[in-house]
Amino acid sequence: MATPKKGRNASAQSKPGRSLALILIAIVALTGGMFASGHTKPRLGIDLAGGTSITLRAVPEAGNEAAINKTNMDTAVSIMERRVNGLGVQEAEVQTQGRDNIIVNIPKGTNSEQARKQVGTTAKLYFRPVLATEVSGGGTASPSPSPTGSPSDQPSGKATDKPEATDKGSASPSASPTTQGRAVTDALKADATPSASASGGAKASPSASATGGAAGDDPSKLQEQYAKLDCTDEKTRSTVGDGVKASQSTLACGKNAQGQWQKYILGPAEVDGTDVDKAQAVLNTQTGAGWTVTMDFTGAGGKKFADVTGKLAQNQSPQNQFAIVLDGDVVSDPYVSQALTGGNAEISGNFNQQSAQELANMLSYGALPLTFKVDSMTTVTAALGGDQLQAGLIAGAIGLALVVIYLLAYYRGLSFIAILSLLVSAALTYTLMSLLGPAIGFALNLPAVCGAIVAIGITADSFIVYFERVRDEIREGRTLRPAVERAWPRARRTILVSDFVSFLAAAVLFIVTVGKVQGFAFTLGLTTLLDVVVVFLFTKPLLTLMARRPFFANGHKWSGLDPKSLGAQPPLRRTRRPSAPIETKEA
């Protein structure tokens, strides 16, 4: 029915303040969140803030060119991310580019030469016997006071990952701290223990690094550093074990099944990562073990693994465990019940598909037939980045000034609404970029600044589409208030189609590109979405309110809506239809 429809339209036109209040609340909330988080400025990328960009090229072993594939490259990226973050660099970016390149972007404040060495070398994977372990920052060491113990009842040929990490952190009831310390000391000194056999019983000279690394095979220094080790501290984790050779005992950190940081004393390496021929995640449905990780060893690796598991199986927890150590971090610490002599092993425990795949990838990377060569390393100084940022901001200011001049010259009073809309869009963009830095690691690089400048034109285009629809309605003879409402449906459809095309282009560009071009695509997509929000919740409601003001409603010559200057037709008026003549029947 016509009457309810008119009522709804009248109601919608009379409450534009709701939309304006909503977007005002959003701006206040985002601004408050920005100041509350302490991130009041967008995080700048390397090209603006300065830093180092390293390009690595994968080189396979001779005759194994197929090793350069997506799986191996993704695994390499994962390892390199662990390394650069180990340097205390939380904002580093590691990503593949093309088929055989990896780009590592490290912000300023990092030793570029150290970073190059960290990411440019092959990962070091070792299997080390566990001598002692406990939850870092609390808990009790759990070395067994007895050098021997009966093996637990586990299936043959398996090294089973302990399902409860808390068991590792509890001491044997009969073990006093003195006895525990003596057990670790005996394990370090005794030739019969697995830790002594790793390097044929050879003892390396103590070497305590300045950064808190382990003290080699000096038992007193090792236990002293173990007591002070705090794996919850990120800086400590990044340096623990520095300078320790594979033939030496060491300290290490790793996370247990509960997500707590665990600290370890580990014996010399018994098996090297290159002894692993293949590792993969497998869903074991036959025994009901769920997701497991299977390992196949080389001929020599199988013999070494059989020797170490045979010795470990004779001990009690935790000295019946071996730690899988990647780049100094313990990624798993399964225990064994008997010698594994088949040249393969299966690690089972509290795995899901993702965790099993991650461990399998790490094990595979230890034997990955890939090395990486540094193709280029570019250092951008903060001064150069500041100059680029200043140039980008100047370009943006010039573009914005030209848009404002055009709006003032062509739309006059309507330009007031357009400029306010641009300011609202700028406020939303700035606060979101500031918050997205710490939230998702978004960094404002130079291409992203270009995307924001392009967005100025996209946003202004939406205002122009709407304003021109309103002016078309006035040319047809309608007054301003009905013209604003009648123009909106057609303008809305055009704006949505235009913004959808821009957003689709940004999304495709973001997916198919890497590196800095993604910054341009992300910024373009974000500002395109904000354009829709601003037009719907600010520009349209504000124009509805302004249409009630005499300056705009009466078509002042400086309003931009003067009917005479627009060449408007005479106002539309309703005309009555002529009444039909009354016919009378003649008798």
Side-chain angles (χ1 to χ4, degrees):
M1 294 177 62
T3 303
K5 185 175 181 181
K6 289 181 180 179
R8 286 196 301 269
N9 287 341
S11 176
Q13 295 176 32
S14 62
K15 298 179 181 179
R18 290 184 178 180
S19 299
L20 295 174
L22 181 61
I23 198 166
L24 179 62
I25 291 172
I27 293 175
V28 171
L30 290 172
T31 305
M34 183 178 68
F35 282 100
S37 65
H39 299 280
T40 56
K41 294 180 180 179
R43 188 168 68 91
L44 300 180
I46 291 176
D47 53 352
L48 297 181
T52 303
S53 181
I54 304 172
T55 302
L56 301 169
R57 179 170 52 88
V59 181
E61 293 180 355
N64 199 6
E65 286 73 17
I68 300 181
N69 54 53
K70 187 178 186 302
T71 300
N72 289 345
M73 293 293 287
D74 289 344
T75 302
V77 166
S78 175
I79 300 301
M80 290 177 187
E81 283 180 339
R82 289 162 57 94
R83 289 178 170 185
V84 293
N85 287 331
L87 294 173
V89 183
Q90 294 297 334
E91 302 171 350
E93 299 175 354
V94 184
Q95 54 195 343
T96 57
Q97 185 177 61
R99 177 177 172 270
D100 56 358
N101 290 329
I102 292 179
I103 307 297
V104 183
N105 294 324
I106 304 172
K108 64 178 180 179
T110 304
N111 187 317
S112 59
E113 184 61 26
Q114 183 185 9
R116 187 191 66 78
K117 291 180 179 178
Q118 285 277 15
V119 301
T121 57
T122 306
K124 292 180 174 61
L125 178 72
Y126 297 113
F127 292 75
R128 290 177 176 267
V130 177
L131 302 181
T133 180
E134 65 180 81
V135 175
S136 187
T140 309
S142 57
S144 171
S146 172
T148 62
S150 59
S152 58
D153 185 16
Q154 293 295 340
S156 174
K158 290 187 178 181
T160 304
D161 197 21
K162 279 199 168 185
E164 295 184 7
T166 52
D167 291 344
K168 302 172 189 174
S170 60
S172 173
S174 61
S176 66
T178 304
T179 307
Q180 294 169 1
R182 188 183 305 120
V184 176
T185 303
D186 292 343
L188 287 168
K189 291 181 176 180
D191 292 338
T193 59
S195 58
S197 63
S199 55
K203 303 294 183 184
S205 59
S207 59
S209 68
T211 55
D217 282 338
D218 187 328
S220 60
K221 287 187 178 181
L222 200 63
Q223 290 191 63
E224 181 183 349
Q225 291 184 0
Y226 175 69
K228 297 178 180 179
L229 179 60
D230 181 11
C231 289
T232 60
D233 181 66
E234 182 179 352
K235 186 177 180 180
T236 301
R237 291 197 308 271
S238 66
T239 58
V240 66
D242 281 1
V244 178
K245 299 177 181 179
S247 58
Q248 295 177 294
S249 298
T250 185
L251 302 181
C253 296
K255 278 193 174 181
N256 60 27
Q258 281 70 40
Q260 300 168 306
W261 283 106
Q262 197 96 356
K263 61 181 181 179
Y264 298 82
I265 300 181
L266 304 177
E270 297 279 2
V271 181
D272 193 275
T274 55
D275 293 322
V276 179
D277 184 49
K278 183 176 67 173
Q280 57 184 346
V282 177
L283 180 60
N284 191 331
T285 57
Q286 295 180 349
T287 63
W291 282 98
T292 63
V293 178
T294 62
M295 296 183 292
D296 292 331
F297 293 91
T298 62
K303 292 179 181 179
K304 288 192 281 186
F305 192 71
D307 290 341
V308 66
T309 53
K311 295 170 183 176
L312 291 175
Q314 300 174 23
N315 298 334
Q316 292 180 349
S317 178
Q319 293 180 359
N320 64 344
Q321 297 171 235
F322 64 85
I324 301 172
V325 186
L326 178 68
D327 281 345
D329 295 332
V330 176
V331 296
S332 185
D333 57 351
Y335 67 91
V336 296
S337 61
Q338 54 191 303
L340 306 178
T341 58
N344 54 64
E346 180 183 78
I347 303 176
S348 61
N350 296 332
F351 288 117
N352 54 32
Q353 182 177 5
Q354 181 179 355
S355 60
Q357 187 62 58
E358 286 178 355
L359 178 56
N361 286 345
M362 291 176 183
L363 291 169
S364 298
Y365 194 72
L368 196 65
L370 282 178
T371 57
F372 289 91
K373 292 186 177 181
V374 178
D375 265 4
S376 64
M377 186 171 72
T378 304
T379 300
V380 180
T381 64
L384 178 60
D387 292 341
Q388 292 177 331
L389 178 60
Q390 184 179 8
L393 292 177
I394 292 174
I398 292 173
L400 181 61
L402 291 175
V403 170
V404 170
I405 291 172
Y406 169 79
L407 292 173
L408 288 171
Y410 192 73
Y411 288 108
R412 300 185 180 184
L414 278 179
S415 62
F416 167 75
I417 298 173
I419 293 172
L420 284 180
S421 299
L422 285 172
L423 291 176
V424 169
S425 180
L428 289 173
T429 302
Y430 184 86
T431 54
L432 281 174
M433 285 184 175
S434 299
L435 292 173
L436 288 176
I440 64 172
F442 171 74
L444 187 66
N445 52 29
L446 192 59
V449 174
C450 295
I453 295 173
V454 171
I456 296 174
I458 294 176
T459 305
D461 181 63
S462 298
F463 307 153
I464 291 171
V465 168
Y466 186 30
F467 293 163
E468 287 302 321
R469 292 293 189 187
V470 172
R471 287 155 70 106
D472 285 344
E473 294 293 333
I474 293 176
R475 289 188 184 97
E476 293 179 4
R478 292 182 177 84
T479 56
L480 181 58
R481 293 183 65 176
V484 167
E485 299 305 322
R486 288 179 63 89
W488 174 240
R490 290 190 294 169
R492 177 181 59 199
R493 185 163 52 249
T494 304
I495 292 170
L496 288 176
V497 171
S498 175
D499 283 345
F500 174 76
V501 172
S502 296
F503 182 80
L504 184 62
V508 171
L509 195 62
F510 184 84
I511 293 172
V512 302
T513 59
V514 295
K516 297 177 182 179
V517 180
Q518 283 187 328
F520 172 83
F522 182 86
T523 307
L524 183 61
L526 176 65
T527 49
T528 300
L529 290 177
L530 291 179
D531 174 48
V532 176
V533 173
V534 171
V535 170
F536 275 70
L537 297 183
F538 187 81
T539 307
K540 164 60 171 59
L542 183 61
L543 185 55
T544 300
L545 287 178
M546 293 297 101
R548 301 172 184 176
R549 299 292 182 265
F551 178 78
F552 289 98
N554 296 336
H556 192 279
K557 64 178 181 178
W558 290 105
S559 67
L561 297 169
D562 180 15
K564 292 183 179 179
S565 61
L566 295 176
Q569 298 176 2
L572 295 176
R573 298 180 181 277
R574 291 187 177 181
T575 56
R576 288 188 177 183
R577 294 182 180 180
S579 56
I582 300 175
E583 297 182 2
T584 56
K585 260 187 185 179
E586 293 182 1

